[in-house]
Amino acid sequence: MNKELQSIKPNRPEIITQKVEAIHFYRKMDTEATVKEMIDGKYVLVEEFYSNGLQVLNELRKNLLLTHPDKSFQGQRNYRAAFREASHRLLLKVEKNKLLVKKAPEFGWLEILYPDVSDFYVPFPEVQGMNSAWQWYKKGLEVKTLDITLHPYYGTYFPTRFDHLKLFDKWLKRYDGAKTNAIDIGVGSGVLSFQLIQNGFENIFATDSNKNAIIGVAEECKRLGYEEKITLNHGDLFDNCNIKADVIVFNPPWLLAKHDLDKGIDKAMYYEEELFPRFFEQAQKHLAPEGKVLLIFSNLAQVTDEESTHPIIEELQQNNRFRKELHLKRDVRASSQRTKRRDARDKEKVELWVLSLKDKKN
């Protein structure tokens, strides 16, 4: 494990450390009028009880649903953007790394992520996110393809559906090639790297542009005893990588970004247009002659937008670097048996692409 990882500081929600001019919201106040002030740009500070903040958010949702009636994929994205902007003006006061309001959830991230400051204001939705992340972190996530429980770090992508992991597991169990070196691009919560280790790969170079992912996987490696198997790197794609791999695995974001991406988990869900061309160009240089590139992807973009292009198909059609060896598909199950799929995602399939280098003569 890399010693320099100790110097990495995690991404954390933005806070306000100076005095804020805000509307102080109490339970018996006019919620509708408060929400309109918040939408117009004013801060609102939740007083008394944590549930008062929930009351304001519920009213905000009602207001924005009326002004954003479009139920299309893009329409819902616009609604979420408007909700995020307004809801982040709803604040909670923190003193000595504890929420001041009564009956607030208790979680450790306020101390872990903010060791340098104890008194500040934090947006209410960020508190909700930290609380949810803390429950996953403490309780853990059972990953059946690994037969272990992961404890995902704050701000790190982790799977809630496992169809794509089952495809990868199926391929790994049939793979009979060299297992000396593997590269995991976008390690996330470490699932693919741990699958590689459990299937006999000796050395994994795992990288991610999200600092929280690197911190979290470092913790998991220590807990699971994988420290000698994985070299972790905080960087973009193949930064600082000087090996040629028998297998390169990449589970990229599945949707093309049509908005400016935030740092961290946003980049685990949306990709910038140049991501795939850069990946393929660099992967060609880091793949052993008989090596395989595995991409775990989805047709989600195509089922939600018929004009959307498929970046892996584009690479195979437009460039002379790789050839397709295998393309597996699997239907995506709902994350819960009680979930009824009524949108375009009921047509979604996860994909496993296996590519190899083209003969230079071709």
Side-chain angles (χ1 to χ4, degrees):
M1 192 67 67
N2 321 43
K3 293 181 179 179
E4 60 269 22
L5 294 180
Q6 298 176 359
S7 64
I8 295 179
K9 304 299 182 184
N11 297 321
R12 60 190 190 181
E14 291 187 9
I15 58 174
I16 300 173
T17 55
Q18 297 178 340
K19 184 69 175 178
V20 174
E21 183 178 339
I23 299 169
H24 293 251
F25 181 80
Y26 296 84
R27 184 181 297 274
K28 294 183 179 180
M29 290 176 60
D30 186 336
T31 311
E32 184 176 353
T34 302
V35 162
K36 289 180 179 178
E37 295 272 24
M38 198 163 67
I39 292 174
D40 287 340
K42 292 187 178 180
Y43 284 111
V44 173
L45 180 63
V46 178
E47 298 283 9
E48 295 180 306
F49 296 98
Y50 181 80
S51 59
N52 292 350
L54 298 175
Q55 179 180 330
V56 175
L57 288 185
N58 286 335
E59 182 62 35
L60 176 63
R61 288 190 185 92
K62 287 166 54 179
N63 182 296
L64 292 179
L65 285 172
L66 291 174
T67 57
H68 294 74
D70 185 357
K71 299 300 181 183
S72 70
F73 188 80
Q74 185 60 46
Q76 289 302 294
R77 180 181 287 182
N78 293 339
Y79 161 76
R80 289 192 295 270
F83 181 82
R84 174 179 171 78
E85 181 181 357
S87 65
H88 274 62
R89 299 191 190 102
L90 183 65
L91 305 177
L92 286 164
K93 184 74 169 67
V94 175
E95 286 188 2
K96 297 181 180 179
N97 297 99
K98 301 291 183 184
L99 294 170
L100 278 188
V101 291
K102 299 174 184 178
K103 297 186 178 181
E106 296 183 5
F107 50 88
W109 296 126
L110 292 175
E111 295 180 354
I112 294 172
L113 298 177
Y114 303 96
D116 54 328
V117 58
S118 60
D119 298 352
F120 50 89
Y121 299 94
V122 60
F124 197 98
E126 298 291 2
V127 170
Q128 291 179 300
M130 284 189 280
N131 180 47
S132 176
W134 185 254
Q135 307 313 313
W136 284 110
Y137 182 69
K138 298 302 289 184
K139 179 183 177 181
L141 173 72
E142 182 183 2
V143 182
K144 292 184 178 179
T145 56
L146 291 170
D147 196 27
I148 61 175
T149 298
L150 295 181
H151 298 267
Y153 197 83
Y154 170 79
T156 299
Y157 167 80
F158 60 92
T160 56
R161 296 177 299 179
F162 304 99
D163 303 279
H164 59 302
L165 301 181
K166 291 175 182 177
L167 275 182
F168 185 47
D169 187 64
K170 179 180 179 180
W171 181 85
L172 280 173
K173 285 180 167 46
R174 296 180 179 179
Y175 173 72
D176 60 359
K179 296 183 177 181
T180 303
N181 293 308
I183 300 173
D184 182 0
I185 299 296
V187 67
S189 55
V191 176
L192 301 185
S193 283
F194 300 154
Q195 285 184 269
L196 287 165
I197 290 173
Q198 290 190 354
N199 283 275
F201 282 80
E202 298 173 18
N203 304 291
I204 317 295
F205 183 89
T207 183
D208 206 296
S209 60
N210 179 3
K211 293 183 289 185
N212 295 38
I214 299 300
I215 294 169
V217 175
E219 285 188 2
E220 293 285 23
C221 287
K222 186 175 182 179
R223 184 176 65 85
L224 296 170
Y226 291 161
E227 291 178 286
E228 299 303 317
K229 293 281 188 179
I230 296 183
T231 298
L232 290 170
N233 176 67
H234 173 238
D236 176 64
L237 295 179
F238 295 85
D239 281 355
N240 305 314
C241 180
N242 56 12
I243 64 170
K244 286 188 177 290
D246 304 306
V247 168
I248 297 173
V249 61
F250 187 30
N251 180 13
W254 294 349
L255 294 171
L256 177 63
K258 297 180 181 179
H259 62 290
D260 293 333
L261 295 180
D262 295 330
K263 293 181 180 179
I265 200 167
D266 202 22
K267 289 190 174 182
M269 301 176 67
Y270 300 96
Y271 66 88
E272 295 169 319
E273 194 166 4
E274 69 275 11
L275 174 66
F276 282 90
R278 291 195 301 111
F279 168 78
F280 286 118
E281 180 181 2
Q282 296 178 37
Q284 183 183 30
K285 301 172 184 176
H286 287 88
L287 191 65
E290 303 300 320
K292 313 295 181 188
V293 174
L294 276 82
L295 296 108
I296 298 171
F297 205 58
S298 163
N299 69 339
L300 178 58
Q302 286 71 53
V303 299
T304 56
D305 180 2
E306 293 181 356
E307 296 182 0
S308 178
T309 58
H310 195 300
I312 301 173
I313 294 175
E314 277 192 325
E315 164 65 24
L316 294 173
Q317 291 177 342
Q318 297 178 7
N319 297 299
N320 196 36
R321 294 184 281 220
F322 297 97
R323 62 182 179 86
K324 181 185 74 175
E325 285 199 357
L326 185 65
H327 180 206
L328 300 177
K329 297 180 182 180
R330 182 185 176 103
D331 290 335
V332 176
R333 298 178 183 178
S335 56
S336 169
Q337 292 182 354
R338 293 174 295 179
T339 302
K340 295 182 180 180
R341 309 291 288 278
R342 295 189 177 94
D343 57 13
R345 296 195 69 159
D346 62 1
K347 300 178 183 177
E348 182 187 358
K349 294 181 183 296
V350 288
E351 306 173 337
L352 177 72
W353 294 78
V354 182
L355 312 181
S356 59
L357 291 170
K358 269 193 173 182
D359 189 327
K360 292 184 179 179
K361 295 179 182 180
N362 293 340

